[in-house]
């Protein structure tokens, strides 16, 4: 594993910033880029919290991976974290900041390792950096609505059932396994963590097919199926994630 240094968003060179932007696009299916929450709030996340965006850089100045995070205020039991997961975390963090509400929880939004550096253990280092961020700012909690790596292979399966899958006597999904090995506790499934709605034309463009009947449709890379109501000219994708907690 290469010797790394760590930068925040404000420290990135133009080349590193461009690599960061492209890595986000490459990491997710097309539907994620259609998120109204991302389109509405992401610029403010980076503007308000540049020190909460953490980047691992190798000795040659190349971007290895990064973790994006946002702080917010949470005054209920951790088991009550919302079903709206990722979308809620973004909106809560931005709203709290704009209203001057002090944060006591830092939420992880994503951890991404650049493609040619996958499988080398760097994700564990980025989780460790999030733990350090929590301690640096003296937050009480670190929670992350995670997006399991292999769930897109089982879009018809509820996340609650997917969690039970095992391989060789351990949790099937590698991203869930990684968090457990790093000390996380699984709190619960957040059943509507990212929400997407659109008319039939919107979904036809993403599915690259003509929709001829109501029902469920599978979109490449999506964790769950899309529910289409042809008569009402609507479709909805509710992505399930899993809340994990590091204390």
């Amino acid at each position: 594993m290469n010797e790394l240094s760590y930068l925040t968003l404000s420290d990135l060179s133009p080349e590193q910033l461009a690599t960061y932007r492209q890595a986000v696009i490459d990491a997710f299916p097309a539907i994620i880029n259609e998120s109204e929450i991302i389109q509405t709030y992401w610029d403010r996340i980076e503007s308000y919290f540049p020190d909460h965006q953490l980047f691992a850089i190798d000795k040659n100045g190349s971007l290895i991976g990064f973790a994006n995070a946002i702080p917010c205020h949470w005054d209920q039991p951790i088991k009550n974290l919302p079903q709206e997961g990722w979308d809620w975390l973004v909106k809560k963090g931005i709203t709290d900041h704009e209203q001057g509400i002090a944060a006591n929880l830092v939420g992880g939004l994503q951890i991404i390792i650049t493609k040619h550096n996958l499988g080398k253990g760097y994700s564990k280092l980025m989780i460790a950096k999030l733990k350090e961020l929590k301690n640096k700012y003296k937050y009480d909690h670190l929670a992350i609505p995670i997006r399991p790596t292999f769930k897109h292979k089982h879009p018809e399966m509820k996340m609650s059932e997917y969690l039970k899958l095992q391989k060789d006597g351990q949790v099937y999904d590698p991203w869930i396994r990684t968090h457990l090995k790093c000390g996380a506790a699984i709190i619960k499934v957040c059943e509507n963590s990212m929400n997407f709605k659109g008319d039939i034309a919107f979904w036809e463009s993403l599915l690259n097919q003509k929709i001829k009947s109501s029902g469920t449709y599978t979109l490449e890379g999506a964790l769950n199926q899309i529910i289409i109501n042809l008569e009402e000219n609507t479709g909805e994708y509710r992505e399930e994630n899993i809340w994990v907690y590091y204390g």
Side-chain angles (χ1 to χ4, degrees):
M1 189 177 294
N2 293 331
E3 182 179 344
L4 302 180
S5 59
Y6 294 92
L7 304 178
T8 59
L9 184 64
S10 304
D11 304 319
L12 296 184
S13 69
E15 182 179 356
Q16 290 164 344
L17 186 62
T19 303
Y20 160 49
R21 300 292 186 214
Q22 188 60 48
V24 174
I25 294 172
D26 292 343
F28 299 109
I31 181 62
I32 299 300
N33 294 323
E34 301 293 334
S35 166
E36 290 186 8
I37 298 298
I38 292 174
Q39 293 171 5
T40 301
Y41 294 105
W42 194 264
D43 287 347
R44 277 184 274 178
I45 293 171
E46 294 185 341
S47 175
Y48 294 166
F49 312 109
D51 291 344
H52 287 58
Q53 320 313 316
L54 309 174
F55 301 84
I57 309 295
D58 71 10
K59 61 182 179 181
N60 298 316
S62 298
L63 179 64
I64 298 295
F66 49 92
N68 298 96
I70 189 170
C72 69
H73 182 76
W74 182 250
D75 59 2
Q76 298 181 41
I78 290 299
K79 67 179 182 179
N80 292 344
L81 282 167
Q83 293 290 343
E84 292 76 19
W86 199 92
D87 285 353
W88 169 85
L89 180 59
V90 171
K91 289 188 289 186
K92 186 72 163 64
I94 295 299
T95 301
D96 285 355
H97 179 81
E98 292 178 345
Q99 294 181 356
I101 299 173
N104 65 346
L105 179 149
V106 62
L109 295 171
Q110 60 189 13
I111 294 174
I112 295 175
I113 307 302
T114 52
K115 282 187 175 180
H116 56 286
N117 289 298
L118 290 170
K120 301 178 181 178
Y122 289 121
S123 60
K124 294 179 181 178
L125 296 183
M126 297 316 301
I127 291 171
K129 296 306 290 187
L130 287 178
K131 293 178 182 178
E132 290 179 17
L133 183 72
K134 169 186 174 279
N135 293 333
K136 176 181 178 181
Y137 288 92
K138 296 181 170 57
Y139 297 127
D140 296 328
H141 311 287
L142 168 59
I144 310 173
I146 67 169
R147 190 178 195 272
T149 305
F150 290 163
K151 178 62 174 69
H152 71 279
K153 298 180 180 181
H154 308 274
E156 76 293 340
M157 184 181 292
K158 294 289 291 182
M159 188 70 80
S160 57
E161 292 301 312
Y162 180 79
L163 263 173
K164 299 175 184 177
L165 294 183
Q166 293 200 340
K167 182 179 180 180
D168 300 327
Q170 58 182 346
V171 174
Y172 165 73
D173 190 89
W175 194 218
I176 300 173
R177 281 203 310 271
T178 294
H179 281 283
L180 293 175
K181 289 177 180 178
C182 289
I186 293 175
I187 302 304
K188 64 180 180 182
V189 173
C190 36
E191 297 178 350
N192 193 21
S193 190
M194 298 189 78
N195 186 276
F196 304 79
K197 294 185 177 75
D199 60 17
I200 299 303
F202 170 79
W203 292 112
E204 287 181 336
S205 68
L206 284 170
L207 290 163
N208 196 29
Q209 70 177 86
K210 185 71 175 177
I211 295 174
K212 298 180 179 180
S213 62
S214 298
T216 57
Y217 288 76
T218 299
L219 179 65
E220 183 179 358
L223 304 193
N224 301 89
Q225 292 181 307
I226 301 159
I227 300 174
I228 296 293
N229 187 319
L230 195 62
E231 292 72 24
E232 295 185 6
N233 189 32
T234 62
E236 182 179 16
Y237 172 58
R238 295 162 63 101
E239 179 165 297
E240 296 180 297
N241 292 164
I242 302 168
W243 276 116
V244 300
Y245 180 64
Y246 282 96

